[in-house]
Amino acid sequence: LHSFEARTNKTLAMVERGFSRMGNTLVAVFSAGAIAGYMKSVITTADEFAKLSERSGVSVERLSEFAHGANLANVSTQEMASGLQKLAQNMAEAAGNRGSQVAEVFRSLGISATDANGRLRDTSEVFEELSAKFAGAADGAEKLAIARALLGKTGDSLIPMMNHLAQTSEEARRLGLVISDQFAKNAERFNDSLTLMGSRLANFMRSSLTPYIEAMNRLFNAFSDDLPGLQQRRMETMIE
């Protein structure tokens, strides 16, 4: 009995050590995978902000500030970008046609689309000024109409974000959530290099595999051509 108990305890201890080592290995593997996944996510996000900056004319730093507020308000980056692009278009229209309807909306808010020299202001500055106006005004039909007029069809979704933009932007800076323009450019180049490397690798694989695929196709064709004869010879053998 004692011998059986000893063997049992020894076996259980061995199993326990095995599971412990396996657990440590799995933790290491999954931890490495999680870190790699997070790094890829950070790089991809910075790359997306770099491209979004090119489309919207807003710096990556300001976009990443705004994105924090957008996330808290359940507003997608695409909705935010669409609103900023529409605002930039309306600013240009107001500056070029002071009698336009959109120019009148800007005047009613006391917001100028141009600076003292008549040049278009930075879109992010106007967006912040508009957000400050929204923060101090009651929600309702008038705010909704202004949001739609200046920010387009995504204006409705942006109102909760804009109501608290000053606080969330300051929080993003304080928490270190702001992405620098330089990091975004580096991330964009990194992802572009990966894409180029993937394309070159695919081209290398196509070139390398072509003769083998052609040889296999010839073999299959030859087998297909010989199949009727093989079947006939098999039948003759069976008859004999």
Side-chain angles (χ1 to χ4, degrees):
L1 182 61
H2 291 298
S3 176
F4 173 76
E5 183 178 353
R7 288 197 305 272
T8 301
N9 290 337
K10 184 178 180 180
T11 302
L12 289 175
M14 183 179 64
V15 171
E16 183 179 356
R17 287 195 301 271
F19 275 112
S20 178
R21 287 194 295 269
M22 184 185 300
N24 291 335
T25 301
L26 289 174
V27 168
V29 169
F30 282 110
S31 296
I35 292 172
Y38 182 71
M39 289 175 61
K40 177 175 175 55
S41 174
V42 169
I43 292 171
T44 299
T45 298
D47 180 15
E48 290 173 351
F49 275 122
K51 290 178 171 58
L52 178 56
S53 177
E54 295 172 2
R55 295 197 303 269
S56 65
V58 178
S59 72
V60 171
E61 294 183 358
R62 304 313 299 279
L63 285 173
S64 56
E65 284 182 18
F66 296 162
H68 176 57
N71 289 335
L72 294 176
N74 293 324
V75 174
S76 70
T77 303
Q78 187 55 48
E79 287 176 317
M80 180 185 74
S82 178
L84 288 169
Q85 288 174 304
K86 186 63 177 178
L87 178 62
Q89 293 172 5
N90 283 327
M91 288 169 57
E93 181 181 343
N97 182 6
R98 298 184 181 279
S100 64
Q101 184 176 356
V102 72
E104 178 57 34
V105 175
F106 278 117
R107 277 194 297 271
S108 69
L109 294 169
I111 298 176
S112 176
T114 57
D115 60 20
N117 297 316
R119 292 190 294 265
L120 278 175
R121 295 172 61 195
D122 187 279
T123 306
S124 62
E125 293 180 359
V126 175
F127 184 68
E128 286 182 311
E129 188 174 354
L130 178 61
S131 296
K133 299 281 187 182
F134 276 19
D139 292 328
E142 184 177 2
K143 182 186 286 189
L144 185 61
I146 292 172
R148 289 175 178 172
L150 297 183
L151 304 170
K153 60 184 180 181
T154 62
D156 301 21
S157 303
L158 296 180
I159 290 175
M161 165 194 171
M162 297 173 71
N163 283 340
H164 306 282
L165 188 67
Q167 298 94 313
T168 57
S169 294
E170 190 281 328
E171 185 175 61
R173 292 189 293 270
R174 178 166 50 83
L175 295 177
L177 303 179
V178 178
I179 300 172
S180 70
D181 291 284
Q182 187 59 49
F183 181 81
K185 290 177 183 176
N186 289 335
E188 185 176 25
R189 283 195 293 269
F190 177 81
N191 272 351
D192 289 346
S193 296
L194 283 182
T195 301
L196 180 60
M197 183 183 299
S199 298
R200 287 178 173 175
L201 179 60
N203 182 58
F204 171 77
M205 292 299 293
R206 286 193 296 269
S207 300
S208 301
L209 290 173
T210 294
Y212 297 101
I213 293 174
E214 290 176 347
M216 291 300 294
N217 284 336
R218 287 193 297 270
L219 178 62
F220 291 150
N221 290 335
F223 180 77
S224 178
D225 292 340
D226 290 343
L227 187 58
L230 290 172
Q231 290 175 331
Q232 181 63 33
R233 285 194 292 273
R234 183 183 179 190
M235 291 294 297
E236 291 173 354
T237 301
M238 292 175 64
I239 292 173
E240 293 176 356

